[in-house]
Amino acid sequence: MSGAALRIEGVTVRFGGVVANESVSLEIPEHSIFAVIGPNGAGKTTLFNAVTGVHAPTAGEVYFFGERARLPVNAAVVARALLVGLLSGVGFFLSMNAQELWTATFDVPYVYGEPFDWMLGLEGFVGAAREVPFTMGALPAMIGLIIGSMTMLVLWSGSRGGSDVVARTGVARTFQNIRLFTEMSLVENVLVGMDYRLRTGFWSALLRLPQFGTERLAARRASIKLLRFVGLESRKAEAAGSLSYGHRRRLEIARALASDPRILLLDEPAAGMNPQEISELMELIRSLRDRGITVVLIEHHMKLVMGISDRIAVLQYGRKIAEGTPEEVRCNPRCVEAYLGADEGVA
Amino acid sequence: MVAVVRRNPTAVMLLLALAWPAVELVLPLRFHIAGSLRTVFIFAILALGLNVVSGFTGLLNLGIAAFMAIGAYAFGILTCDTYPFQIGFWPALLLTLIIGAMAGFLLGAPTIRLRGDYLAIVTLGFGEIVQDVLKNLQAITKGMQGINPLPSPTCCASGGGWTWRELQGGDHLSWYWLTLAILSVCVLAVRRLERSHIGRAWISVREDELASRAMGIRVDRVKLLAFATGASLAALSGALFASSLSSTGEPSNYDFQVSILALCIIIVGGIGSVAGVLIGSLVMIGFNSIVLVKVAEWMQEVGWSSTSNVLASPNNWKYLIFGVALVLMVRFRPQGLLPPTIEDDPAHDAPDEPGALR
């Protein structure tokens, strides 16, 4: 198992009756560049989405460095669900009997103009609470308890493998249809990628505690460095929406890198780039691998794929039909038939 | 000069507000508006709260008035002497902030997964429910009567020298300073959040929820925090509103129209812009409770007003003018009067230093 940065085991994704991925298995070694190719509609992006937790796979498992990106069920989760259930139970009980309880607790014992005796209030509350009939008291409280804790658990289990959890295990990605924060500046875009690594919270941001300033400064410097790495430093204060297509792709890569990923998934990074930009991109991807990042990419541009990939997997109709080094794939008749021959006739 | 104003319209506006009472001294009595400006400030706090939820985070909230109501009633119950608590203005204000945040959290927690229109409908419904609850829980809220009398704030007030005392209802200038000070603190707080990673996360969720989730942002938490922050500011404005009237008034003081008014403020000012909130509330509330009132007074003076002709009262023209202004606004300047700008602080750049990038 060691050495595999990303292991996909029998991943199947179905949307209703449509099977987007059928039992796809891949093993992607560490520090390598791995390409996933295939004709349009072959399920490449769906596979990426399943890997990054955008949609949960119908079947199959995804392991990053031997572990699933999924929050564990532990005592804290159960305790939180119980607490929420308890609160909603108490809430149900109080709101069903709000007026009676209020009157007995605060109105009856309170004599206008005199200090309030809290003990009397408490006695009043207990007395009134005891008189509440079962159907108005214990029953709604139990219903509240069940609804509260079940809702909490259901919501939690729905989000335990979400894409934020995957991102936090060190997996970053870009999108086929570039998804930048267009009204934010370049620096801010990169800073969002860095967000989950920041340690200061709401109160230190509000009160501007010293550690907040230190962290903010460091984050900003790091993001400017990343912008320089992708060659966009000079435009750092501009809105991301003002960038050209090729530059947007690069900014997306910089944003993904900001999370300091161990695995980087690039969805068609070369789409819409000119030959010059593509050779720059190839350099960029190689330098990423040399920094120790495992790069997985979806790409249609064969020169790029054949030029930099260590291994290639070919998908068709949602299934993997071949896998191997660029040479092996190039010589595999099924692949040529399915994709290469039809597309560019790579020799 | 123009550059300074452009770079920092928020500060400029607050400074102008600071200078206004002095300006008023040399103006004829007709132009004295400091007494009405406190309503502008109070609604600016409400709109500031809505701006956090709808402006920064992009969650359309049509029930922000509900949180204002919760703030007003919480403040009323905590301070009015017909209830046993009577904890005084400042502690009550603080507690109102917390209660507002909790109310925002309670509404947000079950609904935060809803998107766009669906969340708007839920918040709309919440606004109506809160009003109905306040009307019908008579044992607690006094129903349609509202809770009164509420004590005025104890603070450093002018009038016979600056002393620490309880404000009177007619103490216009002291109310002006008090609400302006609280508004300034709120503006500072919201600006600080906006320019930190908290605000960045809010805005990124508005811009592209899927992408920000893929960047490791816990979208649900981010949204909940925005909801709670916005609700807490709205509750604060409710408390100030009730305190300045010395009564919570009836529950319908916090109806759907108030929510829409707050929404109009941020649309007119520029969605997602703190400076826009200030200019928006000046334009909207200022028009409603200053311009119209002054015009009516003036018409009475020159004898143009008439009780028989409804068209002679400027107040009856209010919604027509509002409507036309909004249509013109959306047609010719949809981004608002002072749209948000991208800010950059190059002072922090020293990018050649090694070691920043892990």
Side-chain angles (χ1 to χ4, degrees):
Chain A
M1 204 172 299
S2 75
L6 172 61
R7 196 150 53 87
I8 301 171
E9 272 183 10
V11 163
T12 300
V13 180
R14 271 193 215 105
F15 299 109
V18 181
V19 183
N21 287 133
E22 176 85 55
S23 190
V24 177
S25 296
L26 292 175
E27 193 159 320
I28 296 168
E30 248 179 279
H31 310 309
S32 65
I33 298 175
F34 192 100
V36 179
I37 62 173
N40 285 326
K44 306 182 296 291
T45 297
T46 308
L47 185 66
F48 262 33
N49 284 342
V51 166
T52 53
V54 174
H55 8 264
T58 317
E61 293 294 348
V62 178
Y63 297 89
F64 303 101
F65 297 96
E67 281 175 37
R68 284 189 294 191
R70 188 173 292 185
L71 299 174
V73 184
N74 55 24
V77 174
V78 178
R80 200 158 9 128
L82 276 180
L83 182 71
V84 169
L86 215 58
L87 286 178
S88 73
V90 172
F92 270 48
F93 175 75
L94 290 181
S95 52
M96 291 295 280
N97 309 288
Q99 305 216 58
E100 292 78 3
L101 292 174
W102 180 277
T103 310
T105 314
F106 296 117
D107 281 357
V108 175
Y110 175 59
V111 182
Y112 182 78
E114 283 179 27
F116 184 62
D117 185 348
W118 287 92
M119 282 317 291
L120 271 181
L122 188 65
E123 275 169 30
F125 178 82
V126 172
R130 281 206 176 139
E131 277 175 29
V132 174
F134 174 77
T135 47
M136 290 292 281
L139 187 65
M142 281 190 293
I143 293 174
L145 178 79
I146 292 167
I147 290 181
S149 46
M150 291 313 282
T151 312
M152 186 71 197
L153 281 178
V154 167
L155 286 182
W156 179 81
S157 65
S159 65
R160 63 188 292 216
S163 49
D164 49 338
V165 181
V166 174
R168 282 163 186 258
T169 59
V171 181
R173 71 171 291 182
T174 65
F175 295 89
Q176 183 180 7
N177 48 338
I178 309 170
R179 303 187 81 122
L180 289 170
F181 309 120
T182 49
E183 282 176 36
M184 300 168 89
S185 72
L186 270 62
V187 182
E188 285 174 321
N189 267 276
V190 178
L191 282 169
V192 172
M194 215 168 281
D195 189 273
Y196 85 83
R197 296 198 290 156
L198 302 179
R199 286 287 156 261
T200 56
F202 181 83
W203 293 107
S204 56
L206 192 61
L207 305 173
R208 293 286 145 112
L209 301 179
Q211 66 264 33
F212 174 80
T214 323
E215 188 179 76
R216 177 187 164 100
L217 196 64
R220 191 178 157 88
R221 282 183 185 155
S223 59
I224 287 175
K225 259 191 159 171
L226 277 170
L227 284 178
R228 182 182 313 151
F229 180 64
V230 296
L232 290 171
E233 191 198 357
S234 60
R235 311 187 62 179
K236 61 181 188 288
E238 287 175 42
S242 70
L243 292 180
S244 70
Y245 196 78
H247 285 167
R248 287 185 190 210
R249 290 248 172 244
R250 287 194 204 181
L251 177 58
E252 228 194 1
I253 292 175
R255 184 179 69 178
L257 288 176
S259 63
D260 195 21
R262 292 183 293 172
I263 303 174
L264 179 64
L265 297 111
L266 303 173
D267 198 342
E268 296 198 18
M273 285 188 173
N274 62 36
Q276 165 72 21
E277 286 175 324
I278 286 176
S279 58
E280 284 172 21
L281 179 69
M282 287 169 74
E283 273 316 300
L284 183 69
I285 293 175
R286 280 203 193 97
S287 69
L288 291 179
R289 178 191 50 193
D290 297 342
R291 276 164 65 169
I293 299 173
T294 307
V295 181
V296 187
L297 60 126
I298 293 175
E299 191 47 73
H300 285 299
H301 197 280
M302 280 309 131
K303 193 171 141 240
L304 185 145
V305 170
M306 294 299 168
I308 61 172
S309 306
D310 297 315
R311 287 181 76 76
I312 298 175
V314 188
L315 294 191
Q316 193 188 15
Y317 302 125
R319 292 166 200 266
K320 184 173 83 175
I321 56 170
E323 190 189 332
T325 61
E327 279 66 38
E328 288 165 5
V329 168
R330 196 180 309 193
C331 301
N332 186 323
R334 284 185 74 191
C335 304
V336 177
E337 182 193 342
Y339 185 58
L340 299 180
D343 191 68
E344 281 189 25
V346 175
Chain B
M1 178 63 198
V2 175
V4 172
V5 176
R6 273 192 187 209
R7 206 170 315 133
N8 218 336
T10 317
V12 170
M13 271 187 281
L14 289 177
L15 284 175
L16 283 179
L18 206 60
W20 178 255
V23 176
E24 231 176 39
L25 287 178
V26 299
L27 289 177
L29 203 59
R30 174 181 296 161
F31 296 103
H32 285 207
I33 56 170
S36 318
L37 275 173
R38 74 174 172 215
T39 321
V40 173
F41 298 155
I42 289 169
F43 274 86
I45 296 174
L46 176 71
L48 214 50
L50 183 64
N51 190 45
V52 169
V53 184
S54 302
F56 294 158
T57 322
L59 307 167
L60 184 53
N61 186 339
L62 296 179
I64 196 77
F67 298 108
M68 193 185 185
I70 288 171
Y73 274 84
F75 180 83
I77 289 173
L78 286 170
T79 56
C80 180
D81 62 5
T82 54
Y83 294 90
F85 310 105
Q86 300 166 31
I87 60 172
F89 180 82
W90 293 104
L93 217 54
L94 210 66
L95 263 179
T96 307
L97 276 172
I98 296 168
I99 290 169
M102 276 164 45
F105 194 84
L106 278 182
L107 174 66
T111 56
I112 216 73
R113 301 289 173 95
L114 301 173
R115 274 169 207 207
D117 314 351
Y118 298 101
L119 185 70
I121 299 283
V122 167
T123 51
L124 177 72
F126 183 71
E128 298 303 307
I129 289 170
V130 165
Q131 252 191 86
D132 272 350
V133 167
L134 291 176
K135 264 179 214 157
N136 292 311
L137 273 186
Q138 299 205 356
I140 305 175
T141 63
K142 305 277 196 290
M144 303 294 285
Q145 267 182 300
I147 299 169
N148 61 72
L150 303 185
S152 293
T154 313
C155 65
C156 200
S158 68
W162 286 88
T163 47
W164 188 260
R165 62 182 174 78
E166 191 168 301
L167 288 190
Q168 303 303 311
D171 226 343
H172 291 314
L173 212 53
S174 308
W175 267 107
Y176 180 90
W177 293 122
L178 179 75
T179 45
L180 179 60
I182 294 175
L183 172 64
S184 305
V185 171
C186 294
V187 165
L188 182 70
V190 171
R191 291 283 289 163
R192 280 183 166 187
L193 290 175
E194 184 195 1
R195 302 178 67 170
S196 71
H197 55 283
I198 307 285
R200 223 157 39 221
W202 285 341
I203 296 171
S204 77
V205 167
R206 176 191 74 197
E207 295 276 292
D208 193 326
E209 190 176 325
L210 198 145
S212 55
R213 204 188 284 275
M215 294 299 116
I217 299 220
R218 292 174 173 143
V219 172
D220 294 352
R221 287 190 196 196
V222 166
K223 284 183 176 175
L224 261 185
L225 186 62
F227 236 89
T229 310
S232 150
L233 283 170
L236 177 67
S237 84
L240 286 173
F241 181 75
S243 176
S244 74
L245 293 177
S246 186
S247 163
T248 59
E250 55 181 311
S252 58
N253 277 359
Y254 313 93
D255 63 1
F256 183 57
Q257 286 199 10
V258 175
S259 300
I260 291 298
L261 185 61
L263 199 61
C264 286
I265 288 175
I266 67 171
I267 290 172
V268 166
I271 289 182
S273 150
V274 172
V277 164
L278 298 183
I279 194 84
S281 26
L282 184 66
V283 169
M284 298 294 290
I285 309 294
F287 174 74
N288 195 8
S289 58
I290 299 175
V291 176
L292 283 180
V293 174
K294 293 288 173 189
V295 168
E297 274 174 22
W298 174 75
M299 283 173 73
Q300 198 129 36
E301 261 172 51
V302 295
W304 285 0
S305 63
S306 133
T307 44
S308 56
N309 186 357
V310 288
L311 294 181
S313 161
N315 214 29
N316 294 338
W317 290 83
K318 182 164 82 178
Y319 289 111
L320 180 69
I321 299 172
F322 264 170
V324 171
L326 268 183
V327 170
L328 292 178
M329 187 80 207
V330 172
R331 171 65 185 78
F332 293 105
R333 201 176 162 81
Q335 73 274 37
L337 294 173
L338 287 172
T341 51
I342 286 182
E343 282 161 34
D344 196 45
D345 42 354
H348 285 164
D349 295 359
D352 278 325
E353 232 166 88
L357 186 65
R358 273 194 266 162

